[in-house]
Amino acid sequence: MAKGKTILFFLFGLAVISWGIYEWKYYFSYRNDLAERPWAYSEDKAAHLLVGEWQGDFLDPDGVRKTMRLEILVPMTEDDRAKKASRRTRRRSGLGSRSDQQRFDGFATVTSQRGIEEYECYGAVRDKTGSRLNTVHFRVVDEKQQLRKNFNVLLAEDGGQWQNDSLTLTLAFTYTTATGSGYSSSDDPRFDKKVTVHLSRVKS
């Protein structure tokens, strides 16, 4: 009987230690993100962060008016953080490289009279304040659905600026022909044209 109680207490102790380690890893991960990614996390639920939804209008190199709706995703969701904290092993890189800390992913939808353009996007902030962005790359979600005879978004150039409810990007484009191939001409200034888009936060 005494032996059974000893085993029971031992197992209970292991469970408590395991839960304590999980809580510590979760808390440490969250506090680290608050310090290193203030553009993505805040204890203030009303804070104005870079992550979230943005919208703005622009004219593409053909002069077609388009609307971009951009969503920048939170780098790590609460579910992802909980799963990471529950792992028994961890990568040798520990918290990850600084470039990983500054990276973000997202989605963008561009609409116009010509149709709908759907993109995945990825980029990074220049430093942990998040006020300046490095190059943001756009990739068509489904090439079969890519608009033809259209200037599609290729990237947002290095130097994008974010402040509170304002995000400014300078877009570069790639032209897609009727057959789906890319085309460019040094004799036509449209193919080198860059367009600035001013996006505002979409209020929830």
Side-chain angles (χ1 to χ4, degrees):
M1 186 70 176
K3 185 177 180 180
K5 287 185 177 180
T6 300
I7 294 175
L8 186 62
F9 278 121
F10 176 74
L11 293 176
F12 177 75
L14 286 179
V16 170
I17 292 172
S18 178
W19 178 254
I21 292 174
Y22 165 82
E23 286 288 310
W24 179 85
K25 289 171 68 176
Y26 184 96
Y27 176 80
F28 184 78
S29 171
Y30 177 63
R31 300 309 301 185
N32 180 71
D33 276 340
L34 287 175
E36 296 297 326
R37 294 168 167 169
W39 52 272
Y41 299 94
S42 175
E43 292 182 294
D44 180 2
K45 300 301 181 182
H48 296 199
L49 305 176
L50 175 61
V51 299
E53 294 188 21
W54 302 86
Q55 183 169 305
D57 297 333
F58 65 94
L59 297 178
D60 80 357
D62 261 342
V64 177
R65 180 169 295 279
K66 297 183 175 182
T67 297
M68 171 180 282
R69 191 175 181 103
L70 171 67
E71 180 181 9
I72 298 178
L73 303 174
V74 63
M76 183 180 295
T77 66
E78 293 306 303
D79 286 344
D80 290 338
R81 194 184 306 281
K83 290 177 182 177
K84 182 179 179 181
S86 66
R87 293 177 190 156
R88 293 188 177 183
T89 59
R90 63 180 181 181
R91 297 179 301 172
R92 291 185 180 181
S93 57
L95 296 174
S97 68
R98 182 162 296 277
S99 61
D100 289 336
Q101 296 280 331
Q102 295 169 190
R103 177 187 166 91
F104 61 81
D105 298 302
F107 296 95
T109 300
V110 176
T111 56
S112 70
Q113 62 186 20
R114 291 188 173 175
I116 300 175
E117 306 164 35
E118 298 280 1
Y119 301 96
E120 297 173 331
C121 59
Y122 62 94
V125 295
R126 187 167 296 179
D127 57 45
K128 72 178 186 179
T129 67
S131 60
R132 298 296 295 271
L133 278 62
N134 293 331
T135 303
V136 181
H137 299 272
F138 290 76
R139 181 173 54 213
V140 176
V141 172
D142 185 352
E143 291 187 359
K144 294 181 180 179
Q145 300 297 322
Q146 185 177 26
L147 287 186
R148 308 294 176 87
K149 300 174 68 174
N150 181 64
F151 280 96
N152 294 295
V153 180
L154 177 63
L155 56 83
E157 293 191 321
D158 180 82
Q161 299 183 51
W162 161 64
Q163 184 176 17
N164 295 327
D165 291 332
S166 177
L167 176 62
T168 301
L169 302 174
T170 299
L171 305 177
F173 302 85
T174 181
Y175 186 79
T176 305
T177 67
T179 61
S181 60
Y183 176 78
S184 182
S185 172
S186 59
D187 295 328
D188 189 334
R190 293 179 304 163
F191 294 97
D192 289 324
K193 187 173 183 178
K194 308 298 188 295
V195 174
T196 298
V197 56
H198 300 284
L199 301 108
S200 299
R201 186 182 306 280
V202 176
K203 306 293 185 179
S204 57

